Amino acid sequence: MRRVIREPSITRRLTRSLAIVGGLGALLLLVVIGIEYRLSFSHLSGGDAVELALHELAEHVLLPMAVLIIPMALAGRWAIRRAMEPLRIAAEEIDARTCEVRGVRVSASALPQEARPFAEAINRTLERVDHAASMHEAFAADIAHELRTPLTLLSLELDSLDAPQAAQLREDVAQMRRLIDQLMLLAQVEADAASQTSPSRVDLTDLSGDVVARMAPIALDRAVNLELVSEAPVWTSGRREAIGAALRNLLENALRVTPEGGTIVVRVTSDGTIAVRDEGPGLDAASLAALVQRHRRADHASRDGAGLGLAIVDRIMKAHGGTLSAAPDHREIRLNLPVSG
């Protein structure tokens, strides 16, 4: 038979401790009563005397103790749960802030005095984690910034080349520059989220129109139709450049998988969704979840891609309180953003 191991519980420990204390108190009370009534084996010589003593003990001691212990046990359990309530509320508050990347802290002021050192230790740990993440992002942003200069010089050198491979090399360098720009933009978005900078209002319809207009020459060059479907302005809060970069990434992926003569449709709906429908094989939720992991890419993706496109899109959405989702039945990838009034 397998032994069931219970998880540690403060409530069970306190209840057990109170039960032990209550039992010891009852036992001590019986001893005191025995001494008070001067009961001993020498005094209980006859059977009637023993029966009378037991009856007296049950009626005047045990019964009142039972009547008192049961409500006290229930009241003690209620008091224990009430004492633990601030810890449960603090846990719910932390869970409600799971969308926040930085600045999550445990409010120690509402906790019992005994639990405050534990909460303060957690806050110090979270502060060190935030500081380490900030240093890491600053380092990554510095590297990305330093890489832009040599890539710019490399682009100028490639422009002067007349070799057959020059066009492909220029495209590769341009792709690297776009990736670096997106990484820097992502670092800025996460820094704004950590500092709780007030976001600006963004019209998703207007934003989508700008991105589609910029991608139209690329689609025209690849003989792919690019359409935008939207009825009215849809407002959200966030960083316009970052949301635009996320949509551009989806359109670049759609252009890779859509054959010549095909159509890519960008839909903006009133619930804050930007959907990109292409004529590729589509992605299901499991495949999308795998692709947003770093260094993973779809089988149809460019072989010389960095595999970070969808991972960047997913992080941009999370920084805006949104999600990246797939609708394989419609062959769509969707950006889901919260709508603001």
Side-chain angles (χ1 to χ4, degrees):
M1 182 181 294
R2 179 177 296 180
R3 183 179 178 184
V4 178
I5 301 176
R6 285 188 173 185
E7 296 182 357
S9 171
I10 297 177
T11 302
R12 282 200 299 267
R13 287 184 178 182
L14 290 176
T15 303
R16 192 182 303 117
S17 299
L18 288 177
I20 293 173
V21 171
L24 292 176
L27 180 61
L28 181 60
L29 180 61
L30 291 176
V31 172
V32 171
I33 291 174
I35 295 174
E36 180 70 22
Y37 282 90
R38 297 179 179 179
L39 297 176
S40 65
F41 289 105
S42 60
H43 295 105
L44 302 177
S45 56
D48 292 340
V50 173
E51 183 178 353
L52 179 62
L54 292 176
H55 181 271
E56 190 77 13
L57 186 64
E59 184 176 355
H60 294 91
V61 178
L62 296 181
L63 183 59
M65 286 179 59
V67 172
L68 180 63
I69 286 175
I70 293 176
M72 288 297 294
L74 296 176
R77 190 168 183 83
W78 172 81
I80 292 172
R81 290 184 177 276
R82 188 170 183 271
M84 296 294 107
E85 186 69 10
L87 298 178
R88 185 188 65 81
I89 294 175
E92 290 180 352
E93 289 178 354
I94 295 175
D95 285 339
R97 299 174 62 185
T98 53
C99 60
E100 298 182 23
V101 180
R102 304 279 181 78
V104 178
R105 296 292 185 273
V106 180
S107 178
S109 60
L111 295 179
Q113 185 176 0
E114 294 78 5
R116 289 181 185 178
F118 181 70
E120 291 169 356
I122 292 177
N123 287 338
R124 288 192 294 269
T125 301
L126 291 173
E127 186 175 354
R128 290 193 293 269
V129 170
D130 285 351
H131 178 70
S134 298
M135 295 293 293
H136 175 74
E137 290 177 359
F139 179 69
D142 289 341
I143 292 178
H145 181 73
E146 293 297 328
L147 286 174
R148 295 182 69 181
T149 300
L151 285 177
T152 300
L153 296 176
L154 182 59
S155 298
L156 294 175
E157 293 291 336
L158 291 175
D159 288 339
S160 62
L161 291 179
D162 196 18
Q165 300 85 359
Q168 182 60 44
L169 291 174
R170 283 193 291 270
E171 176 62 26
D172 293 341
V173 172
Q175 184 177 357
M176 291 177 64
R177 291 188 62 182
R178 286 196 300 270
L179 178 60
I180 289 173
D181 290 340
Q182 290 171 1
L183 289 173
M184 293 184 65
L185 182 59
L186 180 61
Q188 293 172 358
V189 169
E190 293 185 342
D192 290 345
S195 61
Q196 299 182 350
T197 303
S198 299
S200 58
R201 298 187 71 216
V202 180
D203 180 3
L204 297 181
T205 299
D206 181 67
L207 169 67
S208 301
D210 287 346
V211 176
V212 168
R214 293 180 182 179
M215 298 294 292
I218 301 176
L220 184 61
D221 183 62
R222 299 185 182 185
V224 174
N225 300 315
L226 193 56
E227 298 180 6
L228 173 64
V229 178
S230 182
E231 297 179 355
V234 180
W235 296 95
T236 189
S237 298
R239 195 180 182 97
R240 182 183 178 92
E241 305 95 307
I243 302 174
L247 177 56
R248 181 184 177 91
N249 265 330
L250 296 188
L251 287 176
E252 288 176 348
N253 290 338
L255 285 170
R256 273 199 294 266
V257 300
T258 301
E260 291 187 7
T263 300
I264 299 173
V265 179
V266 179
R267 293 189 306 110
V268 182
T269 59
S270 59
D271 60 352
T273 298
I274 304 177
V276 177
R277 184 172 71 240
D278 56 44
E279 296 189 5
L283 287 174
D284 55 23
S287 299
L288 180 62
L291 288 174
V292 298
Q293 303 297 322
R294 292 183 180 182
H295 309 302
R296 296 290 298 274
R297 59 175 181 265
D299 295 337
H300 56 261
S302 173
R303 292 184 177 273
D304 51 5
L308 286 174
L310 289 177
I312 292 175
V313 173
D314 182 62
R315 291 181 66 187
I316 290 175
M317 288 297 100
K318 289 179 178 177
H320 286 79
T323 58
L324 173 67
S325 62
D329 295 340
H330 298 85
R331 297 198 307 273
E332 288 183 348
I333 303 294
R334 296 172 178 175
L335 306 177
N336 309 291
L337 290 157
V339 177
S340 63

